[in-house]
Amino acid sequence: MTLHVIYFMRSINPDTLAGLQHATLSALKEGATELVILISSDGGNTDQGFAAYHFLRSLSIPVTMHCIGNIESMAVVMFLAGTKRLIVPHGKVKVHPMNWSFTAGAVDHARLAECVASLDFDAKRYADIFEERTNGARKILRVRSHLEGKAKLLGAAASVEAGIATGVEDASIPATAPYWWV
């Protein structure tokens, strides 16, 4: 097996999603039969977070996601795409309420209602993915309550109990593995 490593230590946005796609497809073109994505992210754009999840799930090779710092907000969804999901002993996972930024100034009632509906829809998508990928966890995390209420912080062991991570392990990359930066 040819292992390739991708470093993703960024917020999720259109540019970093494009970088992830480019690095991943370049690794595949160069013969990768397995990917390890070393990730530490504060989350970011909801649309790109869901796109990253589905992009990574579409790959025909095993993808190991390895949290080497923090997995927060939409990065949790991206992390859950991994076939295998590891977290370093001092890693952190944060699930918190979803939000919407208004940069256009005043917003009318119809637009505000649309934003609320979109937030509700995305919270359901997030929760559905979370519940699907953590199915069989030792400790059920009621993720929807943290998407709408108080944030939930989990250390490495708690993230394994909740089914977010599949194991706790320090990152160790073979010296000969090709690597890509996003």
Side-chain angles (χ1 to χ4, degrees):
M1 294 189 88
T2 305
L3 171 71
H4 283 239
V5 178
I6 296 174
Y7 293 86
F8 189 96
M9 290 172 223
R10 312 279 304 270
S11 295
I12 303 167
N13 60 50
D15 291 335
T16 59
L17 174 59
L20 175 66
Q21 292 168 322
H22 176 75
T24 301
L25 296 175
S26 294
L28 291 174
K29 186 175 180 181
E30 292 201 12
T33 56
E34 181 180 358
L35 286 178
V36 171
I37 300 177
L38 298 176
I39 181 172
S40 184
S41 177
D42 62 355
N45 185 290
T46 305
D47 293 341
Q48 277 70 45
F50 287 121
Y53 171 83
H54 290 291
F55 170 71
L56 294 171
R57 295 287 296 153
S58 76
L59 300 175
S60 59
I61 63 172
V63 176
T64 297
M65 300 296 284
H66 199 143
C67 169
I68 59 170
N70 300 328
I71 300 296
E72 301 181 9
S73 196
M74 278 310 295
V76 174
V77 170
M78 184 175 155
F79 184 74
L80 288 170
T83 311
K84 185 175 176 183
R85 302 181 301 273
L86 302 173
I87 186 168
V88 293
H90 300 289
K92 177 180 82 173
V93 174
K94 179 170 77 173
V95 178
H96 69 103
M98 301 184 84
N99 60 64
W100 193 285
S101 296
F102 292 95
T103 57
V107 178
D108 64 35
H109 183 269
R111 179 72 172 141
L112 190 57
E114 176 187 332
C115 294
V116 170
S118 186
L119 275 174
D120 288 343
F121 188 90
D122 286 345
K124 183 179 181 335
R125 285 199 295 172
Y126 189 120
D128 288 348
I129 288 169
F130 188 92
E131 290 166 8
E132 174 186 311
R133 300 297 291 158
T134 63
N135 187 28
R138 283 180 263 162
K139 187 173 182 182
I140 303 299
L141 179 65
R142 306 270 179 236
V143 71
R144 187 73 189 243
S145 68
H146 302 295
L147 295 173
E148 297 171 349
K150 186 177 178 184
K152 180 71 172 178
L153 303 176
L154 299 105
S159 72
V160 172
E161 285 180 348
I164 299 165
T166 57
V168 178
E169 195 174 297
D170 280 319
S172 175
I173 306 306
T176 57
Y179 60 89
W180 307 85
W181 290 93
V182 176

PDB file of all heavy atoms in Angstrom, residues 27-39:
ATOM      1  N   ALA A  27      -2.656  13.192  -4.831  1.00  0.00           N
ATOM      2  CA  ALA A  27      -2.146  11.979  -4.181  1.00  0.00           C
ATOM      3  C   ALA A  27      -2.672  10.734  -4.894  1.00  0.00           C
ATOM      4  O   ALA A  27      -1.915   9.785  -5.135  1.00  0.00           O
ATOM      5  CB  ALA A  27      -2.532  11.960  -2.705  1.00  0.00           C
ATOM      6  N   LEU A  28      -3.952  10.741  -5.241  1.00  0.00           N
ATOM      7  CA  LEU A  28      -4.522   9.596  -5.964  1.00  0.00           C
ATOM      8  C   LEU A  28      -3.844   9.415  -7.323  1.00  0.00           C
ATOM      9  O   LEU A  28      -3.529   8.293  -7.723  1.00  0.00           O
ATOM     10  CB  LEU A  28      -6.028   9.776  -6.148  1.00  0.00           C
ATOM     11  CG  LEU A  28      -6.877   9.681  -4.878  1.00  0.00           C
ATOM     12  CD1 LEU A  28      -8.328  10.025  -5.183  1.00  0.00           C
ATOM     13  CD2 LEU A  28      -6.767   8.303  -4.261  1.00  0.00           C
ATOM     14  N   LYS A  29      -3.613  10.518  -8.010  1.00  0.00           N
ATOM     15  CA  LYS A  29      -2.968  10.473  -9.328  1.00  0.00           C
ATOM     16  C   LYS A  29      -1.551   9.905  -9.219  1.00  0.00           C
ATOM     17  O   LYS A  29      -1.071   9.238 -10.138  1.00  0.00           O
ATOM     18  CB  LYS A  29      -2.933  11.873  -9.929  1.00  0.00           C
ATOM     19  CG  LYS A  29      -2.433  11.928 -11.337  1.00  0.00           C
ATOM     20  CD  LYS A  29      -2.540  13.332 -11.894  1.00  0.00           C
ATOM     21  CE  LYS A  29      -2.035  13.373 -13.325  1.00  0.00           C
ATOM     22  NZ  LYS A  29      -2.093  14.724 -13.884  1.00  0.00           N
ATOM     23  N   GLU A  30      -0.901  10.144  -8.079  1.00  0.00           N
ATOM     24  CA  GLU A  30       0.457   9.638  -7.873  1.00  0.00           C
ATOM     25  C   GLU A  30       0.480   8.246  -7.240  1.00  0.00           C
ATOM     26  O   GLU A  30       1.522   7.795  -6.789  1.00  0.00           O
ATOM     27  CB  GLU A  30       1.261  10.636  -7.043  1.00  0.00           C
ATOM     28  CG  GLU A  30       1.519  11.911  -7.821  1.00  0.00           C
ATOM     29  CD  GLU A  30       2.689  12.698  -7.300  1.00  0.00           C
ATOM     30  OE1 GLU A  30       3.466  12.178  -6.472  1.00  0.00           O
ATOM     31  OE2 GLU A  30       2.813  13.852  -7.733  1.00  0.00           O
ATOM     32  N   GLY A  31      -0.673   7.591  -7.164  1.00  0.00           N
ATOM     33  CA  GLY A  31      -0.709   6.201  -6.743  1.00  0.00           C
ATOM     34  C   GLY A  31      -1.069   5.931  -5.297  1.00  0.00           C
ATOM     35  O   GLY A  31      -0.885   4.802  -4.821  1.00  0.00           O
ATOM     36  N   ALA A  32      -1.581   6.909  -4.588  1.00  0.00           N
ATOM     37  CA  ALA A  32      -1.963   6.671  -3.198  1.00  0.00           C
ATOM     38  C   ALA A  32      -3.030   5.583  -3.133  1.00  0.00           C
ATOM     39  O   ALA A  32      -3.998   5.602  -3.880  1.00  0.00           O
ATOM     40  CB  ALA A  32      -2.502   7.952  -2.562  1.00  0.00           C
ATOM     41  N   THR A  33      -2.815   4.649  -2.228  1.00  0.00           N
ATOM     42  CA  THR A  33      -3.816   3.614  -1.982  1.00  0.00           C
ATOM     43  C   THR A  33      -4.396   3.758  -0.579  1.00  0.00           C
ATOM     44  O   THR A  33      -5.288   3.008  -0.195  1.00  0.00           O
ATOM     45  CB  THR A  33      -3.213   2.202  -2.154  1.00  0.00           C
ATOM     46  OG1 THR A  33      -2.090   2.077  -1.293  1.00  0.00           O
ATOM     47  CG2 THR A  33      -2.806   1.972  -3.609  1.00  0.00           C
ATOM     48  N   GLU A  34      -3.845   4.717   0.169  1.00  0.00           N
ATOM     49  CA  GLU A  34      -4.331   5.022   1.514  1.00  0.00           C
ATOM     50  C   GLU A  34      -3.940   6.456   1.833  1.00  0.00           C
ATOM     51  O   GLU A  34      -2.837   6.893   1.500  1.00  0.00           O
ATOM     52  CB  GLU A  34      -3.704   4.068   2.528  1.00  0.00           C
ATOM     53  CG  GLU A  34      -4.166   4.289   3.941  1.00  0.00           C
ATOM     54  CD  GLU A  34      -3.513   3.325   4.933  1.00  0.00           C
ATOM     55  OE1 GLU A  34      -2.729   2.451   4.521  1.00  0.00           O
ATOM     56  OE2 GLU A  34      -3.790   3.478   6.132  1.00  0.00           O
ATOM     57  N   LEU A  35      -4.857   7.192   2.482  1.00  0.00           N
ATOM     58  CA  LEU A  35      -4.587   8.571   2.890  1.00  0.00           C
ATOM     59  C   LEU A  35      -4.672   8.696   4.403  1.00  0.00           C
ATOM     60  O   LEU A  35      -5.552   8.094   5.027  1.00  0.00           O
ATOM     61  CB  LEU A  35      -5.619   9.537   2.303  1.00  0.00           C
ATOM     62  CG  LEU A  35      -5.549   9.874   0.832  1.00  0.00           C
ATOM     63  CD1 LEU A  35      -6.706  10.800   0.465  1.00  0.00           C
ATOM     64  CD2 LEU A  35      -4.233  10.518   0.469  1.00  0.00           C
ATOM     65  N   VAL A  36      -3.772   9.490   4.962  1.00  0.00           N
ATOM     66  CA  VAL A  36      -3.880   9.937   6.346  1.00  0.00           C
ATOM     67  C   VAL A  36      -3.976  11.447   6.272  1.00  0.00           C
ATOM     68  O   VAL A  36      -3.120  12.100   5.668  1.00  0.00           O
ATOM     69  CB  VAL A  36      -2.666   9.524   7.199  1.00  0.00           C
ATOM     70  CG1 VAL A  36      -2.718  10.198   8.567  1.00  0.00           C
ATOM     71  CG2 VAL A  36      -2.609   8.019   7.357  1.00  0.00           C
ATOM     72  N   ILE A  37      -5.030  11.999   6.859  1.00  0.00           N
ATOM     73  CA  ILE A  37      -5.186  13.446   6.912  1.00  0.00           C
ATOM     74  C   ILE A  37      -4.959  13.873   8.351  1.00  0.00           C
ATOM     75  O   ILE A  37      -5.736  13.523   9.247  1.00  0.00           O
ATOM     76  CB  ILE A  37      -6.570  13.890   6.400  1.00  0.00           C
ATOM     77  CG1 ILE A  37      -6.737  13.448   4.942  1.00  0.00           C
ATOM     78  CG2 ILE A  37      -6.732  15.405   6.552  1.00  0.00           C
ATOM     79  CD1 ILE A  37      -8.088  13.754   4.335  1.00  0.00           C
ATOM     80  N   LEU A  38      -3.848  14.580   8.570  1.00  0.00           N
ATOM     81  CA  LEU A  38      -3.551  15.145   9.880  1.00  0.00           C
ATOM     82  C   LEU A  38      -4.299  16.460   9.953  1.00  0.00           C
ATOM     83  O   LEU A  38      -4.046  17.365   9.155  1.00  0.00           O
ATOM     84  CB  LEU A  38      -2.049  15.358  10.044  1.00  0.00           C
ATOM     85  CG  LEU A  38      -1.195  14.097   9.970  1.00  0.00           C
ATOM     86  CD1 LEU A  38       0.284  14.453  10.054  1.00  0.00           C
ATOM     87  CD2 LEU A  38      -1.565  13.118  11.061  1.00  0.00           C
ATOM     88  N   ILE A  39      -5.225  16.564  10.884  1.00  0.00           N
ATOM     89  CA  ILE A  39      -6.130  17.702  10.920  1.00  0.00           C
ATOM     90  C   ILE A  39      -6.142  18.373  12.285  1.00  0.00           C
ATOM     91  O   ILE A  39      -6.131  17.705  13.316  1.00  0.00           O
ATOM     92  CB  ILE A  39      -7.567  17.279  10.502  1.00  0.00           C
ATOM     93  CG1 ILE A  39      -8.523  18.475  10.506  1.00  0.00           C
ATOM     94  CG2 ILE A  39      -8.074  16.130  11.340  1.00  0.00           C
ATOM     95  CD1 ILE A  39      -9.900  18.168   9.922  1.00  0.00           C
TER      96      ILE A  39
END
